[in-house]
Amino acid sequence: MATETFEFQVEARQLLQLMIHSVYSNKDVFLRELISNASDALDKLRLAALRDDGLGADTSDLHITIEADQEARTLTVRDNGIGMSYDEVGKLIGTIANSGTAQFLQELKEAKEAKDAAGAEGLIGQFGVGFYSGFMVADEMTLVTRRAGEAQGTRWSSRGEGTYTLESVEDAPQGTSVTLHLKPADPENQLHDYTSPWTIRQIVKRYSDFITWPIRMTPESGEGEETPGPETLNSMKALWARSRDEVSDDEYHELYKHVSHDWREPLETVRLQAEGTFEYQALLFLPAHAPHDLFTQGYRRGLQLYVKRVLIMDDCEALLPPYLRFVKGVVDAQDLSLNVSREILQQDRHIRMIQRRLTKKVLATVKDLKANDTEKYTAFWREFGAVLKEGLVTDPDNRDALLAVASFASTRSDDEPTTLQQYVERMEDGQDAVYYMTGESRQSIENSPHMEAFRAKGIEVLLLTDPVDEVWAEAIGEFDGKPLRSVAKGEIDLGGQNDGQGDAEREKRDEEYADLLGWMKERLGEEVKDVRLSSRLTVSPACVVSDAHDLTPALESMYRAMGQEVPTAKRILELNPEHRLVRGLNKAYRERDDHTDLAPTAELLHDLAVLAEGGRPTDPGRFVKLVAERLEADL
């Protein structure tokens, strides 16, 4: 039959140019697509041979071969799979974005042959689009194919400029070969030398290492040297597709090191296999140590996403929520809605389904560690507790599961953390809230004046030292019907037992200090919202607290660091009426008509209270001057 020339339709020609110049961000993926198509053809032949004993096809050594000719600058990807007839080439290869796989699966469904349908799920498909990605790196592409069971082959050729040729050929081997006449290498435009064995090995290892069929390449030999045997480039070891008994810990650890670039072994391995209408497999790893850039904006998170063992994305962020960004691993799905280049996932209910399932599986694994392996859990929480607590704010659906695995330092023990459930179970009769305090370190919190009454009464307080603690404690609000209450916010009512006074005595004391409190509020009006007597101090003369519904200084700083402008909330100054300094100040105020000399003492009380909680006086220079004057007066 003579060579025939055909024109692409106008829409197809436009799509072809889009494919070549716009669709793929990484030119290396052309080889991934051609290998995927070859693997698809091998799957089809295996299934066709099962259906038709008289097919006469050789299925004894199904494989993919890559041949590179550096002198001619050609690259050939060859398979001995199902092949195509003359009409099929025109229909499948001549029409961009048409896929024979979808029709093949439909035929199997109609035949209702269960043994074939099960195997058909391994087909990769989407031949038309991936095939044309070769024009990103080639000036011309030639395809030679012969369908299994037929005698005559077909040659298809095109320069990707709007036309293609078709002709029948004799003596074509069974299967399909695609030869690319490569463009000159241009490293600046990410156009590599695709005849280089090293480049080919790297691409196959990255994208197609787990393809079921062997991918072989015969290395070039020097002049006078014996031709070496073919080299198999892919491992074909998809560990997630094998049962746990067939895989050693060392193999899991090697895969973890490969996907995470971490030289250490993982803390825990998590396997998941979802079956039903939508099938996928996942192999996840909990690292033993947090990376140094875990909390930086540029941290690369996400799992490797495969579809039918072909790598689609290196860092698929959509598969896990941000608070599980430290988890590494692989997800291999049977079918997903991908865009035309396979590189960007469309918004897909299957992706959301995977995320929900993986999230629950990871949290269940952490819960299991907490219950059965204290050493591992302690190591995990030490490294990743701070990031996991982000989920208490961002993922209300899994809040209960997160609280079940979260643990916190508390005043009950120097070494043993506690859960919220354990805290509630230990609460004394009459205690109506779960108390906590945030700060930069355990030591700074324990030394805070806000803790004095709680220490005196033996009331347990959670010691929260991660920046996110300020946010989640406010967001949750309560646990098991008990409100979460900061010891540094609002008024604290510990039943009046901390001061040993009854209501009548307290009313008399409030009246005694009323004038001083009013005067100090007026003098410190620029700095404070109110001045009042404290029920939380036993040793210190004063402390500053936030109003019950105001942002704390730490939260204000956090929001400003994120670029959000928030108004500065004035604090409340609380005085300890049992402290000698406060009693002396009140006595002096009541005995003098001129209170001018007492103003510096009021300022110092406020600034000392700010310093005690780790803050900074509004005017450090004036604070130093006032302290120096007081020290000088005492000499």
Side-chain angles (χ1 to χ4, degrees):
M1 185 182 291
T3 301
E4 295 184 87
T5 301
F6 301 87
E7 283 195 4
F8 293 114
Q9 294 178 351
V10 175
E11 294 83 358
R13 194 177 304 141
Q14 293 172 345
L15 182 55
L16 176 60
Q17 292 304 310
L18 178 67
M19 283 290 304
I20 295 171
H21 299 295
S22 305
V23 172
Y24 291 92
S25 59
N26 180 2
K27 295 180 174 63
D28 291 352
V29 298
F30 84 92
L31 187 54
R32 174 192 75 183
E33 296 295 331
L34 294 180
I35 290 173
S36 297
N37 292 337
S39 176
D40 191 347
L42 294 171
D43 284 336
K44 285 181 177 179
L45 177 61
R46 178 175 59 84
L47 290 168
L50 288 173
R51 297 174 63 192
D52 184 1
D53 293 337
L55 186 63
D58 181 9
T59 59
S60 60
D61 183 25
L62 298 180
H63 63 277
I64 301 166
T65 301
I66 299 177
E67 299 171 358
D69 187 330
Q70 292 185 322
E71 287 189 13
R73 289 207 50 75
T74 62
L75 180 69
T76 301
V77 178
R78 188 189 316 277
D79 68 73
N80 56 347
I82 191 69
M84 289 175 284
S85 66
Y86 185 92
D87 291 339
E88 286 174 328
V89 172
K91 184 178 180 182
L92 300 178
I93 306 301
T95 306
I96 295 178
N98 196 354
S99 171
T101 298
Q103 183 180 348
F104 182 67
L105 286 170
Q106 184 61 35
E107 290 176 359
L108 286 179
K109 283 185 180 179
E110 291 173 359
K112 295 183 179 180
E113 295 181 21
K115 63 178 181 180
D116 293 352
E121 294 170 1
L123 301 175
I124 294 170
Q126 296 156 12
F127 198 122
V129 169
F131 173 79
Y132 279 95
S133 64
F135 281 113
M136 293 190 299
V137 301
D139 293 318
E140 181 179 355
M141 291 178 64
T142 301
L143 175 144
V144 177
T145 183
R146 177 172 67 83
R147 185 169 181 81
E150 296 186 0
Q152 194 172 55
T154 304
R155 177 183 285 113
W156 176 98
S157 183
S158 176
R159 297 185 63 84
E161 296 173 347
T163 64
Y164 61 91
T165 63
L166 273 177
E167 63 177 312
S168 297
V169 294
E170 305 295 333
D171 302 325
Q174 171 192 303
T176 301
S177 68
V178 179
T179 300
L180 293 84
H181 301 267
L182 297 167
K183 299 174 182 178
D186 184 3
E188 289 186 5
N189 292 315
Q190 294 187 333
L191 189 61
H192 304 126
D193 180 7
Y194 295 109
T195 64
S196 163
W198 183 87
T199 301
I200 294 170
R201 288 189 191 96
Q202 291 296 108
I203 296 173
V204 171
K205 186 69 177 174
R206 180 181 181 190
Y207 291 109
S208 308
D209 191 47
F210 305 115
I211 289 286
T212 308
W213 308 103
I215 304 170
R216 297 171 183 164
M217 180 176 69
T218 301
E220 291 188 342
S221 57
E223 196 172 324
E225 296 180 359
E226 184 178 343
T227 303
E231 170 190 358
T232 299
L233 304 181
N234 59 322
S235 70
M236 297 176 283
K237 291 182 178 180
L239 301 185
W240 54 88
R242 295 156 61 185
S243 68
R244 178 65 181 89
D245 297 339
E246 297 176 3
V247 185
S248 68
D249 288 341
D250 288 341
E251 287 178 300
Y252 280 139
H253 295 168
E254 282 304 311
L255 178 62
Y256 166 74
K257 293 173 183 177
H258 172 69
V259 299
S260 68
H261 310 293
D262 184 1
W263 56 272
R264 294 163 294 203
E265 294 182 353
L267 182 72
E268 188 70 10
T269 302
V270 183
R271 290 174 56 94
L272 176 64
Q273 181 161 338
E275 298 178 345
T277 54
F278 176 62
E279 297 185 2
Y280 60 92
Q281 296 163 313
L283 184 57
L284 310 180
F285 301 96
L286 304 183
H289 300 276
H292 65 88
D293 56 348
L294 182 62
F295 291 96
T296 62
Q297 192 171 4
Y299 178 72
R300 292 186 64 184
R301 67 180 182 88
L303 305 175
Q304 287 191 349
L305 175 62
Y306 287 76
V307 173
K308 316 261 181 84
R309 300 194 183 189
V310 177
L311 179 64
I312 303 300
M313 293 181 71
D314 248 334
D315 303 292
C316 184
E317 297 182 355
L319 294 173
L320 282 174
Y323 66 88
L324 293 179
R325 58 186 175 271
F326 55 87
V327 178
K328 301 298 180 183
V330 171
V331 173
D332 188 4
Q334 292 305 300
D335 188 24
L336 285 174
S337 299
L338 307 178
N339 79 337
V340 74
S341 69
R342 302 183 182 215
E343 291 180 302
I344 303 172
L345 287 168
Q346 297 173 355
Q347 289 298 318
D348 189 286
R349 66 185 182 88
H350 288 145
I351 289 295
R352 295 193 294 271
M353 186 190 308
I354 293 175
Q355 187 195 86
R356 287 195 296 268
R357 183 77 183 275
L358 295 184
T359 300
K360 291 185 183 299
K361 182 66 174 179
V362 170
L363 295 181
T365 301
V366 177
K367 185 177 182 180
D368 185 63
L369 289 180
K370 189 173 185 298
N372 302 310
D373 195 330
T374 304
E375 186 177 348
K376 273 190 178 182
Y377 168 78
T378 302
F380 170 83
W381 192 256
R382 181 180 62 247
E383 296 291 325
F384 301 107
V387 65
L388 213 66
K389 285 185 285 189
E390 293 174 8
L392 294 172
V393 181
T394 61
D395 189 2
D397 290 342
N398 286 302
R399 185 171 286 169
D400 290 342
L402 284 162
L403 287 174
V405 301
S407 59
F408 314 96
S410 98
T411 53
R412 178 176 176 271
S413 171
D414 292 337
D415 306 312
E416 253 186 71
T418 186
T419 66
L420 286 178
Q421 187 61 49
Q422 291 169 337
Y423 180 104
V424 169
E425 290 171 357
R426 287 194 298 266
M427 285 172 58
E428 299 287 342
D429 291 341
Q431 183 179 338
D432 61 355
V434 175
Y435 292 108
Y436 70 90
M437 185 171 178
T438 60
E440 293 186 358
S441 67
R442 179 181 182 122
Q443 182 179 7
S444 67
I445 296 175
E446 289 183 324
N447 290 334
S448 169
H450 304 93
M451 297 286 291
E452 292 174 1
F454 294 88
R455 187 183 301 112
K457 289 187 59 110
I459 297 175
E460 184 176 1
V461 177
L462 300 178
L463 311 175
L464 309 180
T465 57
D466 293 318
V468 72
D469 290 330
E470 287 272 4
V471 186
W472 75 255
E474 292 279 350
I476 286 178
E478 66 170 38
F479 176 79
D480 197 20
K482 304 290 185 181
L484 270 64
R485 188 168 297 164
S486 169
V487 303
K489 289 188 71 173
E491 293 196 60
I492 296 294
D493 181 11
L494 300 181
Q497 298 176 23
N498 58 300
D499 54 14
Q501 294 181 333
D503 291 340
E505 291 181 68
R506 281 198 299 276
E507 287 179 12
K508 181 180 178 182
R509 185 193 62 186
D510 291 344
E511 185 179 342
E512 180 184 349
Y513 280 87
D515 292 340
L516 173 67
L517 298 179
W519 173 78
M520 289 185 67
K521 180 179 179 181
E522 183 179 349
R523 290 292 308 179
L524 301 173
E526 293 295 320
E527 302 291 335
V528 302
K529 177 187 289 188
D530 195 10
V531 181
R532 67 191 181 202
L533 297 182
S534 177
S535 60
R536 69 186 95 215
L537 297 174
T538 60
V539 178
S540 301
C543 69
V544 285
V545 300
S546 297
D547 210 351
H549 303 292
D550 285 346
L551 294 179
T552 64
L555 267 181
E556 288 180 7
S557 300
M558 189 182 302
Y559 284 127
R560 291 192 184 104
M562 294 188 294
Q564 299 183 35
E565 280 302 318
V566 292
T568 300
K570 289 183 180 181
R571 313 293 299 289
I572 297 171
L573 177 65
E574 291 192 349
L575 303 182
N576 178 3
E578 302 303 317
H579 195 279
R580 288 179 58 192
L581 174 57
V582 176
R583 290 205 309 267
L585 179 60
N586 187 49
K587 180 181 179 184
Y589 179 83
R590 292 166 66 88
E591 291 176 350
R592 300 181 192 180
D593 294 328
D594 184 2
H595 304 126
T596 305
D597 292 343
L598 299 179
T601 304
E603 287 184 52
L604 280 175
L605 263 178
H606 172 261
D607 288 348
L608 288 171
V610 171
L611 282 172
E613 71 162 7
R616 177 182 176 184
T618 305
D619 188 347
R622 176 164 174 76
F623 172 74
V624 170
K625 179 183 176 183
L626 290 177
V627 172
E629 288 175 353
R630 287 295 181 275
L631 292 174
E632 183 181 358
D634 288 341
L635 293 177

